């Protein structure tokens, strides 16, 4: 009853176009006032303490690093490198865009940011080289989702913070699935290239490959600093994030010199804005999760599912279905915040590894980013491709097949997620 | 109060908001990296560094809530509202504003009580030599600012100036 009111109120508020953050917060407060004997003070305290969770401090730093890298021309150089590697294949420019998404994902912890970085250059470029604008927009809208699978990743930070799973392990676990997904997109393009008779680029000589590679390497070193730093125990994930932000600043301003010192405050302001927007949602999602917990919802649901006696494979189907629905209506981090505490104990009881569960949730959230009504990648793509949102949705849907196939593989082949962290530990 | 005066105040507030956000994020980043440098370079550290970073982070988000309203950064679902006529859209916008203000009112009330309780307790923060209520005192103020920004953002939709067309968001 109480949980029903909570969820009902949330849905009504969302449909009224109340911002997601306020919808989460208001539905939690109303439920508290009507049904539970928790005070408003407890909620206010909860809200403030959510803003002081140490692992979450890495979010602004990762966003800042990504913002500096985006404006700093890193994306441009990564695209040039990717193009020199795969441009000569049929559909080569599309493959280069995919590869660039994977490369940029290694400096960016967010999907929409990856779409912006690669898409704002490549959608126009592909349209000029004989691709349709819809093809380019639909593909990059989906491929940008790799941003949260290849480390760093904001969604993984949130999952790690809530379930107390090692963020370093989650990051490294995302590498193989991320590369696999990139490969799957490439195969899809290679397949389409014959049918649509997509153009090729002239083959780049090895000197060009080396030169573009050397220019792109400064950006790629960022992920080496993050993973190397965390794994060698030099710093915590939060410190790694801060160091990577300063590194990005140095690269953008002094090495690539695409950003003047005068532009830096604007980039910082943008990063601060995105941080605040995201954390406002997260803090309210903490309230929502708090109400669920005081109402014993996670425990009841866990017990209910355990009593069903589902085998792990059936539980995983249910988990994916729930996450896909929630992911299309909500913003990714809040879905993780609300569902991770419910699913984590069940998964552990069924012998599913916490890191594996984290990767499954991340891939689900990737799909949520490209499905309406709340698909951030769709909105962002519509903005940079100058296409209406409805056109982007139509263009993006066929590519979902690739993402769904990847979800099935990641869900049922734990090896893909666990091979690297287990090998390293 | 004359209209230009109000606008000047609003403009100054906009600018202040933005400067605060930039300074806060820069301070957090530099302090965290500085701590790493001190640890490996000199084998020392600043005691209050971590706590200062977390409080700055909280303030950044609290001020950023209203900054996000002004810059239209907050995500909302426009599944229903994008299909409405302009009259119905106004009704929806009004209800959404009322919900937003109710949220602010409840949070202002709750956080004031929270800060008041900290005042009565009178404890200091862990490492920073300041009472905790001083460090959390921004919270009720931030929700007042959020309420003001919500009203400001809803104004063009709810009370359009005559002769101006209503912009109901994304054109299909």
């Amino acid at each position: 009853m109480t949980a029903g009111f909570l969820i009902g109120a949330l849905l009504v508020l969302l449909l009224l176009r109340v911002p997601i953050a306020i919808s989460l917060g208001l539905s939690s407060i109303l439920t508290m006032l009507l049904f539970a004997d928790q005070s408003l003070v407890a909620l206010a305290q909860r809200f403030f303490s959510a803003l002081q969770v140490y692992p979450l401090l890495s979010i602004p730093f990762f966003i800042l690093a990504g913002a500096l890298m985006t404006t700093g021309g890193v994306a441009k150089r990564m695209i040039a490198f990717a193009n020199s590697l795969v441009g000569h294949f049929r559909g080569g420019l599309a493959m280069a865009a995919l590869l660039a998404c994977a490369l940029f994902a290694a400096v960016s912890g967010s999907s929409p940011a990856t779409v912006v970085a690669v898409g704002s250059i490549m959608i126009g470029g592909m349209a000029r080289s004989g691709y349709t604008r819809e093809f380019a927009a639909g593909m990059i809208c989906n491929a940008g989702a790799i941003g949260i699978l290849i480390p760093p990743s904001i969604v993984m930070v949130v999952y790690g913070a809530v379930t107390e799973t090692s963020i370093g392990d989650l990051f490294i676990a995302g590498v193989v699935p991320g590369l696999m997904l990139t490969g799957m997109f490439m195969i899809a393009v290679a397949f389409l290239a014959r049918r649509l008779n997509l153009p090729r680029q002239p083959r780049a000589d090895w000197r060009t490959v080396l030169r573009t590679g050397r220019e792109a390497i400064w950006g790629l070193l960022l992920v080496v600093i993050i993973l190397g730093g965390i794994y060698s125990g030099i710093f915590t994930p939060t410190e790694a994030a801060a160091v990577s932000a300063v590194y990005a600043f140095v690269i953008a301003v002094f090495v690539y010199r695409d950003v003047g010192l005068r532009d830096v405050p604007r980039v910082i302001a943008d990063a601060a804005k995105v941080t605040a927007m995201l954390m406002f949602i997260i803090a309210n999602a903490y309230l929502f999760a708090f109400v669920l917990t005081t109402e014993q919802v996670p425990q009841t649901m866990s017990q209910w599912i355990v009593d069903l006696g589902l085998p792990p494979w059936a539980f995983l189907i249910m988990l994916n279905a729930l996450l896909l629905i929630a992911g299309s209506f909500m913003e990714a981090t809040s879905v993780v915040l609300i569902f991770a505490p419910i699913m984590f104990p069940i998964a552990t009881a069924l012998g599913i590894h916490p890191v594996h569960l984290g990767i499954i949730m991340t891939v689900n959230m990737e799909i949520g980013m490209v499905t309406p009504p709340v698909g951030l990648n769709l909105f962002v793509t519509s903005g940079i491709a100058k296409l209406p949102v409805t056109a982007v949705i139509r263009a993006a849907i066929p590519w979902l097949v690739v993402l769904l196939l990847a979800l099935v593989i990641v869900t049922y082949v734990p090896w893909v997620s666990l091979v690297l962290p287990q090998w390293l530990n | 109060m004359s209209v230009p005066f109000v606008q000047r105040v609003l403009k100054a507030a906009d600018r202040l908001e933005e400067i605060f956000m930039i300074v806060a994020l820069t301070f957090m980043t530099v302090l965290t990296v500085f701590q790493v440098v001190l640890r490996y370079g000199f084998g020392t550290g600043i005691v209050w560094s971590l706590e200062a970073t977390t409080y700055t982070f909280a303030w950044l988000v609290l001020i950023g809530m209203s900054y996000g309203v002004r810059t239209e950064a907050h995500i909302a679902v426009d599944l229903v509202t994008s299909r409405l006529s302009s009259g119905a859209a106004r009704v929806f916008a009004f209800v959404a504003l009322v919900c937003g203000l109710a949220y602010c009112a409840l949070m202002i009330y709750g956080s004031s009580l929270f800060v008041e309780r900290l005042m009565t307790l009178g404890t200091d923060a862990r490492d920073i030599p300041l009472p905790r209520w001083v460090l959390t005192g921004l919270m009720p103020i931030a929700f007042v600012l959020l309420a003001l920004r919500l009203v400001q953002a809803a104004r063009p939709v709810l009370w359009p100036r005559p002769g101006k067309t209503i912009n109901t968001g994304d054109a299909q």
Side-chain angles (χ1 to χ4, degrees):
Chain A
M1 170 64 200
T2 312
F5 177 83
L6 179 67
I7 292 158
L10 173 68
L11 284 179
V12 170
L13 288 168
L14 284 176
L15 291 179
L16 281 168
R17 208 174 182 281
V18 176
I20 290 181
I22 296 182
S23 302
L24 282 164
L26 187 57
S27 56
S28 315
I29 299 174
L30 290 179
T31 310
M32 274 296 185
L33 290 179
L34 291 174
F35 299 99
D37 48 354
Q38 288 284 345
S39 64
L40 280 171
V41 185
L43 283 175
Q45 190 174 1
R46 200 81 197 169
F47 186 97
F48 198 86
S49 60
L51 302 181
Q52 298 198 298
V53 177
Y54 182 67
L56 297 183
L57 270 169
S58 63
I59 293 176
F61 303 143
F62 281 134
I63 291 175
L64 180 57
L68 284 162
M69 286 288 188
T70 312
T71 29
V74 176
K76 204 171 62 194
R77 289 173 176 86
M78 286 177 167
I79 289 168
F81 177 50
N83 203 19
S84 77
L85 284 178
V86 295
H88 57 279
F89 293 117
R90 189 173 286 285
L93 204 56
M95 290 184 184
L98 292 171
L99 197 56
C101 282
L103 293 175
F104 195 79
V107 301
S108 153
S110 111
S111 285
T114 309
V115 171
V116 172
V118 178
S120 48
I121 303 173
M122 283 306 256
I123 293 175
M126 286 170 71
R128 278 191 298 277
S129 318
Y131 296 80
T132 63
R133 196 164 268 277
E134 283 77 11
F135 180 90
M139 186 189 77
I140 292 178
C141 178
N142 279 272
I146 298 171
I148 54 167
L149 194 51
I150 291 183
S153 159
I154 290 168
V155 171
M156 289 182 195
V157 167
V158 172
Y159 176 84
V162 180
T163 61
E164 295 180 353
T165 307
S166 148
I167 291 173
D169 282 351
L170 287 164
F171 277 5
I172 207 87
V175 173
V176 175
L179 294 178
M180 180 191 82
L181 184 53
T182 316
M184 289 169 67
F185 273 121
M186 294 244 194
I187 294 170
V189 167
F191 177 73
L192 287 172
R194 295 194 163 278
R195 285 190 32 202
L196 301 175
N197 199 20
L198 296 176
R200 312 164 174 264
Q201 311 280 109
R203 181 188 281 273
D205 57 32
W206 62 269
R207 245 190 236 110
T208 318
V209 176
L210 269 183
R211 185 179 49 79
T212 52
R214 212 170 41 226
E215 282 185 10
I217 199 82
W218 292 109
L220 289 174
L221 275 176
L222 187 102
V223 76
V224 177
I225 294 176
I226 295 171
L227 291 180
I230 297 176
Y231 259 86
S232 60
I234 294 179
F235 28 61
T236 63
T238 303
E239 287 170 346
V243 171
S244 72
V246 172
Y247 174 80
F249 167 77
V250 172
I251 294 300
V253 177
F254 298 111
V255 178
Y256 288 158
R257 299 185 188 192
D258 287 336
V259 181
L261 274 175
R262 211 175 308 151
D263 308 321
V264 174
R266 190 184 40 80
V267 179
I268 297 178
D270 270 350
K273 179 177 83 178
V274 176
T275 303
M277 182 271 287
L278 209 55
M279 282 307 300
F280 187 32
I281 295 177
I282 290 177
N284 283 295
Y286 261 95
L287 296 188
F288 196 86
F290 178 53
V291 178
L292 284 178
T293 318
T294 44
E295 289 309 306
Q296 304 271 318
V297 173
Q299 295 86 329
T300 318
M301 247 182 109
S302 307
Q303 195 52 51
W304 179 68
I305 295 172
V306 170
D307 286 346
L308 280 179
L310 290 177
W313 64 266
F315 164 71
L316 287 170
I317 291 182
M318 197 193 72
L319 172 78
N320 282 326
L322 265 173
L323 289 175
L324 286 176
I325 296 168
S328 61
F329 274 94
M330 298 281 306
E331 185 276 333
T333 50
S334 45
V335 175
V336 172
L337 251 163
I338 292 165
F339 280 88
I342 299 177
M343 296 304 174
F344 190 80
I346 312 170
T348 319
L350 289 175
I352 296 162
H353 196 283
V355 171
H356 182 207
L357 179 69
I359 302 298
I360 296 175
M361 290 193 92
T362 308
V363 176
N364 272 296
M365 293 310 103
E366 285 189 293
I367 298 173
M369 303 242 176
V370 285
T371 45
V374 183
L376 289 187
N377 286 13
L378 295 168
F379 303 138
V380 171
T381 310
S382 145
I384 55 172
K386 297 182 185 67
L387 288 169
V389 178
T390 41
V392 176
I393 294 173
R394 234 175 292 128
I397 283 176
W399 296 95
L400 271 179
V401 177
V402 179
L403 280 173
L404 286 169
L405 194 61
L407 177 62
V408 173
I409 298 175
V410 164
T411 306
Y412 289 106
V413 190
W415 181 86
V416 178
S417 315
L418 298 177
V419 58
L420 270 187
Q422 279 175 353
W423 179 68
L424 275 168
N425 289 334
Chain B
M1 271 194 292
S2 62
V3 174
F5 174 75
V6 174
Q7 271 168 358
R8 267 222 306 280
V9 170
L10 282 177
K11 237 198 167 103
D14 289 357
R15 190 80 197 118
L16 223 66
E17 224 171 44
E18 200 163 275
I19 291 172
F20 178 85
M21 307 269 291
I22 295 171
V23 172
L25 184 50
T26 312
F27 177 70
M28 284 170 66
T29 315
V30 172
L31 196 60
T32 306
V33 174
F34 191 54
Q35 186 76 350
V36 176
V37 173
L38 280 184
R39 190 166 70 226
Y40 286 102
F42 304 94
T44 65
I46 311 166
V47 186
W48 47 264
S49 166
L50 181 62
E51 202 174 36
T53 315
T54 52
Y55 274 110
T56 313
F57 183 45
W59 292 353
L60 170 73
V61 180
L62 288 173
I63 295 294
M65 301 186 305
S66 28
Y67 183 70
V69 174
R70 173 160 70 90
T71 50
E72 295 178 356
H74 294 305
I75 315 163
V77 183
D78 57 359
L79 193 64
V80 175
T81 42
S82 59
R83 288 154 213 247
L84 296 174
S85 66
S86 70
R90 273 179 73 182
V91 175
F92 267 64
F94 181 72
V95 178
L97 174 66
V98 170
C99 292
L101 291 178
Y103 168 80
C104 290
L106 290 164
M107 287 306 279
I108 292 167
Y109 180 68
S111 54
S112 310
L113 289 179
F114 172 49
V115 174
E116 198 194 343
R117 184 171 290 182
L118 289 176
M119 275 170 113
T120 336
L121 280 172
T123 46
D124 275 7
R126 198 156 28 88
D127 302 317
I128 304 173
L130 279 174
R132 279 184 67 198
W133 71 266
V134 175
L135 297 168
T136 43
L138 182 65
M139 198 177 169
I141 302 169
F143 282 103
V144 173
L145 293 176
L146 178 63
L148 292 175
R149 286 293 187 193
L150 286 173
V151 173
Q152 196 189 357
R155 220 184 67 168
V157 184
L158 292 180
W159 302 281
R161 299 229 186 97
K164 280 200 174 172
T165 49
I166 305 165
N167 180 12
T168 48
D170 278 358
Q172 285 298 304

